[in-house]
Amino acid sequence: MSIWRVLLAVLFPPLAVIDKGCGSVVIVALLTLAGWVPGVIGALVILNKH
């Protein structure tokens, strides 16, 4: 996980997980709509998975 991905996850979470698949983008987008913090946490969790 690069520093650019982390910054992108903090600024715009759905864009940070765009290469992880459609399901990840949808989940993070819904979490971001529910609140910014859940979206950031979801994006960081998905980016941290191998």
Side-chain angles (χ1 to χ4, degrees):
M1 186 165 51
S2 70
I3 189 70
W4 298 113
R5 285 289 177 123
V6 173
L7 287 174
L8 192 58
V10 170
L11 296 176
F12 192 65
L15 190 57
V17 296
I18 196 94
D19 66 336
K20 301 294 182 182
C22 182
S24 297
V25 175
V26 170
I27 289 171
V28 173
L30 290 174
L31 286 171
T32 304
L33 287 175
W36 178 74
V37 174
V40 171
I41 292 172
L44 290 174
V45 166
I46 290 173
L47 288 176
N48 202 22
K49 289 169 106 177
H50 293 287

Coordinates of all heavy atoms in Angstrom, one line a residue:
M1 N 0.9 -1.2 0.0 CA 0.0 0.0 0.0 C 0.9 1.2 0.0 O 1.7 1.4 0.9 CB -0.9 0.0 1.2 CG -1.9 1.0 1.3 SD -3.2 0.8 2.5 CE -2.4 0.5 4.0
S2 N 0.8 2.0 -1.0 CA 1.6 3.2 -1.2 C 1.0 4.4 -0.5 O -0.2 4.4 -0.2 CB 1.9 3.5 -2.6 OG 0.7 4.0 -3.2
I3 N 1.8 5.4 -0.3 CA 1.4 6.6 0.4 C 0.3 7.3 -0.5 O -0.6 8.0 0.0 CB 2.6 7.5 0.7 CG1 2.1 8.7 1.6 CG2 3.2 8.0 -0.5 CD1 1.7 8.3 3.0
W4 N 0.4 7.2 -1.8 CA -0.5 7.8 -2.7 C -1.9 7.2 -2.6 O -2.9 7.9 -2.6 CB -0.1 7.8 -4.1 CG 1.2 8.5 -4.3 CD1 2.4 8.0 -4.6 CD2 1.4 9.9 -4.2 NE1 3.4 8.9 -4.7 CE2 2.8 10.2 -4.5 CE3 0.6 11.0 -3.9 CZ2 3.3 11.4 -4.4 CZ3 1.1 12.3 -3.9 CH2 2.5 12.5 -4.1
R5 N -1.9 5.9 -2.4 CA -3.2 5.2 -2.2 C -3.8 5.6 -0.9 O -5.0 5.7 -0.8 CB -3.0 3.7 -2.2 CG -2.7 3.1 -3.5 CD -4.0 3.1 -4.3 NE -3.8 2.6 -5.6 CZ -4.5 1.6 -6.2 NH1 -5.5 1.0 -5.5 NH2 -4.3 1.3 -7.4
V6 N -3.0 5.7 0.2 CA -3.6 6.2 1.5 C -4.1 7.6 1.3 O -5.2 7.8 1.8 CB -2.5 6.1 2.5 CG1 -3.0 6.7 3.9 CG2 -2.0 4.6 2.7
L7 N -3.4 8.5 0.7 CA -3.9 9.8 0.5 C -5.2 9.9 -0.3 O -6.2 10.6 0.0 CB -2.9 10.7 -0.1 CG -1.7 11.1 0.8 CD1 -0.7 11.9 -0.1 CD2 -2.2 11.9 1.9
L8 N -5.2 9.0 -1.3 CA -6.4 9.0 -2.2 C -7.6 8.4 -1.4 O -8.7 8.8 -1.5 CB -6.2 8.1 -3.4 CG -7.2 8.2 -4.5 CD1 -7.4 9.6 -5.0 CD2 -6.7 7.3 -5.7
A9 N -7.3 7.4 -0.5 CA -8.4 6.8 0.3 C -8.9 7.8 1.3 O -10.1 7.8 1.6 CB -7.8 5.6 1.1
V10 N -8.1 8.7 1.8 CA -8.6 9.7 2.7 C -9.4 10.8 2.0 O -10.4 11.3 2.4 CB -7.4 10.3 3.5 CG1 -7.8 11.5 4.3 CG2 -6.8 9.3 4.4
L11 N -8.9 11.2 0.8 CA -9.6 12.3 0.1 C -10.8 11.8 -0.7 O -11.9 12.5 -0.7 CB -8.6 12.9 -0.9 CG -7.4 13.6 -0.3 CD1 -6.5 14.1 -1.4 CD2 -7.9 14.7 0.6
F12 N -10.7 10.7 -1.4 CA -11.9 10.1 -2.2 C -11.8 8.6 -2.1 O -11.2 8.0 -3.0 CB -11.8 10.7 -3.6 CG -13.1 10.4 -4.3 CD1 -14.3 11.0 -4.0 CD2 -13.1 9.6 -5.4 CE1 -15.5 10.8 -4.6 CE2 -14.3 9.3 -6.1 CZ -15.5 10.0 -5.7
P13 N -12.4 8.0 -1.1 CA -12.3 6.6 -0.9 C -12.7 5.7 -2.1 O -12.0 4.7 -2.4 CB -13.2 6.3 0.3 CG -13.3 7.6 1.0 CD -13.2 8.7 0.0
P14 N -13.8 5.9 -2.8 CA -14.1 5.0 -3.9 C -13.1 4.9 -5.0 O -12.8 3.9 -5.6 CB -15.5 5.5 -4.4 CG -16.0 6.2 -3.3 CD -14.9 6.8 -2.6
L15 N -12.4 6.0 -5.2 CA -11.4 6.1 -6.3 C -10.2 5.3 -5.9 O -9.5 4.7 -6.8 CB -11.0 7.5 -6.6 CG -10.2 7.8 -7.8 CD1 -10.9 7.2 -9.1 CD2 -9.9 9.2 -8.0
A16 N -9.9 5.2 -4.6 CA -8.7 4.4 -4.2 C -8.8 2.9 -4.4 O -7.8 2.2 -4.5 CB -8.5 4.7 -2.7
V17 N -10.1 2.4 -4.4 CA -10.2 1.0 -4.5 C -10.8 0.6 -5.9 O -11.3 -0.5 -6.1 CB -11.2 0.4 -3.4 CG1 -10.5 0.6 -2.1 CG2 -12.5 1.0 -3.5
I18 N -10.6 1.4 -6.9 CA -11.2 1.2 -8.2 C -10.6 -0.1 -8.9 O -11.3 -0.7 -9.6 CB -11.0 2.4 -9.1 CG1 -11.9 2.4 -10.3 CG2 -9.6 2.6 -9.6 CD1 -13.2 3.1 -10.1
D19 N -9.4 -0.4 -8.6 CA -8.8 -1.6 -9.2 C -9.0 -2.9 -8.4 O -8.6 -4.0 -8.8 CB -7.3 -1.4 -9.4 CG -6.5 -1.3 -8.1 OD1 -7.1 -0.9 -7.1 OD2 -5.3 -1.6 -8.1
K20 N -9.7 -2.8 -7.3 CA -10.0 -4.0 -6.5 C -11.3 -4.7 -6.9 O -11.6 -5.7 -6.3 CB -10.1 -3.6 -5.0 CG -8.8 -3.0 -4.5 CD -7.7 -4.0 -4.5 CE -6.5 -3.3 -3.9 NZ -5.3 -4.2 -3.9
G21 N -12.0 -4.2 -7.9 CA -13.2 -4.8 -8.3 C -14.5 -4.0 -8.1 O -14.5 -3.0 -7.3
C22 N -15.5 -4.3 -8.8 CA -16.7 -3.5 -8.8 C -17.4 -3.6 -7.4 O -17.9 -2.6 -6.9 CB -17.7 -4.0 -9.8 SG -19.2 -3.1 -9.9
G23 N -17.4 -4.8 -6.8 CA -18.0 -4.9 -5.5 C -17.4 -4.0 -4.4 O -18.1 -3.4 -3.6
S24 N -16.1 -3.9 -4.4 CA -15.4 -3.1 -3.5 C -15.7 -1.6 -3.7 O -15.9 -0.9 -2.7 CB -13.8 -3.3 -3.6 OG -13.5 -4.6 -3.3
V25 N -15.8 -1.2 -4.9 CA -16.1 0.2 -5.2 C -17.5 0.5 -4.7 O -17.7 1.6 -4.1 CB -16.0 0.5 -6.7 CG1 -16.4 1.9 -7.0 CG2 -14.5 0.3 -7.2
V26 N -18.4 -0.4 -5.0 CA -19.8 -0.2 -4.5 C -19.9 -0.1 -3.0 O -20.6 0.8 -2.5 CB -20.8 -1.3 -5.1 CG1 -22.1 -1.2 -4.5 CG2 -20.8 -1.1 -6.6
I27 N -19.3 -1.0 -2.3 CA -19.3 -1.0 -0.9 C -18.7 0.2 -0.3 O -19.3 0.9 0.6 CB -18.6 -2.3 -0.3 CG1 -19.4 -3.5 -0.6 CG2 -18.3 -2.2 1.2 CD1 -18.6 -4.8 -0.4
V28 N -17.6 0.6 -0.8 CA -16.9 1.9 -0.3 C -17.7 3.1 -0.7 O -17.8 4.0 0.1 CB -15.5 2.0 -0.8 CG1 -14.8 3.3 -0.5 CG2 -14.6 0.8 -0.3
A29 N -18.3 3.1 -1.8 CA -19.2 4.2 -2.2 C -20.4 4.4 -1.3 O -20.7 5.5 -0.8 CB -19.6 4.1 -3.7
L30 N -21.0 3.2 -0.9 CA -22.1 3.3 0.0 C -21.7 3.7 1.4 O -22.4 4.4 2.1 CB -22.8 1.9 0.0 CG -23.6 1.5 -1.2 CD1 -24.1 0.1 -1.1 CD2 -24.7 2.5 -1.5
L31 N -20.6 3.2 1.8 CA -20.1 3.6 3.1 C -19.7 5.1 3.1 O -20.0 5.8 4.1 CB -18.8 2.8 3.5 CG -19.0 1.4 3.9 CD1 -17.7 0.6 4.1 CD2 -19.8 1.3 5.2
T32 N -19.2 5.6 2.0 CA -18.9 7.0 1.9 C -20.2 7.9 1.9 O -20.2 9.0 2.5 CB -18.1 7.3 0.7 OG1 -16.9 6.5 0.7 CG2 -17.7 8.8 0.6
L33 N -21.2 7.4 1.3 CA -22.5 8.1 1.3 C -23.1 8.1 2.7 O -23.8 9.1 3.1 CB -23.5 7.5 0.3 CG -23.2 7.7 -1.1 CD1 -24.2 7.0 -2.0 CD2 -23.3 9.2 -1.4
A34 N -22.9 7.0 3.5 CA -23.4 7.0 4.9 C -22.6 7.9 5.8 O -23.1 8.4 6.8 CB -23.3 5.5 5.4
G35 N -21.4 8.2 5.4 CA -20.5 9.1 6.2 C -19.1 9.0 5.7 O -18.7 7.9 5.2
W36 N -18.4 10.0 5.8 CA -17.0 10.1 5.2 C -16.1 9.1 6.0 O -15.3 8.4 5.3 CB -16.5 11.5 5.3 CG -15.1 11.6 4.8 CD1 -14.7 11.6 3.5 CD2 -13.9 11.8 5.6 NE1 -13.3 11.7 3.4 CE2 -12.8 11.9 4.7 CE3 -13.7 12.0 6.9 CZ2 -11.5 12.1 5.1 CZ3 -12.4 12.2 7.4 CH2 -11.3 12.2 6.5
V37 N -16.2 9.1 7.3 CA -15.3 8.2 8.1 C -15.5 6.7 7.8 O -14.5 6.0 7.6 CB -15.4 8.5 9.6 CG1 -14.6 7.6 10.4 CG2 -15.0 10.0 9.9
P38 N -16.7 6.2 7.7 CA -16.8 4.8 7.4 C -16.3 4.5 6.0 O -15.7 3.4 5.8 CB -18.3 4.5 7.4 CG -18.9 5.6 8.3 CD -18.0 6.8 8.1
G39 N -16.4 5.4 5.0 CA -15.8 5.2 3.7 C -14.3 5.1 3.7 O -13.7 4.3 3.1
V40 N -13.7 6.0 4.5 CA -12.2 6.0 4.6 C -11.8 4.7 5.3 O -10.8 4.0 4.8 CB -11.7 7.2 5.4 CG1 -10.3 7.1 5.7 CG2 -12.0 8.5 4.6
I41 N -12.4 4.3 6.3 CA -12.1 3.1 7.0 C -12.3 1.8 6.1 O -11.4 1.0 6.0 CB -12.9 2.9 8.3 CG1 -12.4 4.0 9.3 CG2 -12.7 1.5 8.9 CD1 -13.3 4.1 10.5
G42 N -13.4 1.8 5.4 CA -13.6 0.7 4.5 C -12.5 0.6 3.4 O -12.0 -0.4 3.0
A43 N -12.2 1.8 2.8 CA -11.2 1.8 1.8 C -9.8 1.4 2.3 O -9.1 0.6 1.6 CB -11.1 3.2 1.2
L44 N -9.5 1.8 3.5 CA -8.2 1.4 4.1 C -8.1 -0.1 4.4 O -7.1 -0.7 4.2 CB -7.9 2.2 5.3 CG -7.5 3.7 5.0 CD1 -7.4 4.4 6.3 CD2 -6.3 3.8 4.2
V45 N -9.2 -0.6 4.8 CA -9.3 -2.1 5.1 C -9.2 -2.9 3.8 O -8.4 -3.8 3.7 CB -10.6 -2.4 5.8 CG1 -10.9 -3.9 5.8 CG2 -10.6 -1.9 7.2
I46 N -9.9 -2.4 2.8 CA -9.8 -3.2 1.5 C -8.4 -3.0 0.9 O -7.8 -4.0 0.3 CB -10.9 -2.6 0.5 CG1 -12.2 -3.1 1.0 CG2 -10.6 -3.1 -0.9 CD1 -13.4 -2.5 0.2
L47 N -7.8 -1.9 1.0 CA -6.4 -1.7 0.5 C -5.4 -2.5 1.3 O -4.4 -2.9 0.7 CB -6.0 -0.2 0.5 CG -6.7 0.7 -0.5 CD1 -6.3 2.1 -0.3 CD2 -6.4 0.2 -1.9
N48 N -5.7 -2.7 2.5 CA -4.7 -3.5 3.4 C -4.8 -5.0 3.2 O -3.9 -5.7 3.5 CB -4.9 -3.1 4.8 CG -3.7 -3.4 5.7 OD1 -2.6 -3.5 5.2 ND2 -4.0 -3.6 7.0
K49 N -5.9 -5.5 2.6 CA -6.0 -6.9 2.3 C -5.1 -7.3 1.1 O -4.8 -6.5 0.2 CB -7.4 -7.3 1.9 CG -8.4 -7.2 3.0 CD -9.8 -7.3 2.5 CE -10.4 -8.6 2.8 NZ -11.8 -8.7 2.4
H50 N -4.6 -8.5 1.2 CA -3.7 -9.0 0.1 C -4.5 -9.8 -0.9 O -5.4 -10.5 -0.7 CB -2.6 -9.9 0.7 CG -1.7 -9.1 1.5 ND1 -0.8 -8.2 1.0 CD2 -1.5 -9.0 2.8 CE1 -0.1 -7.6 1.9 NE2 -0.5 -8.1 3.1

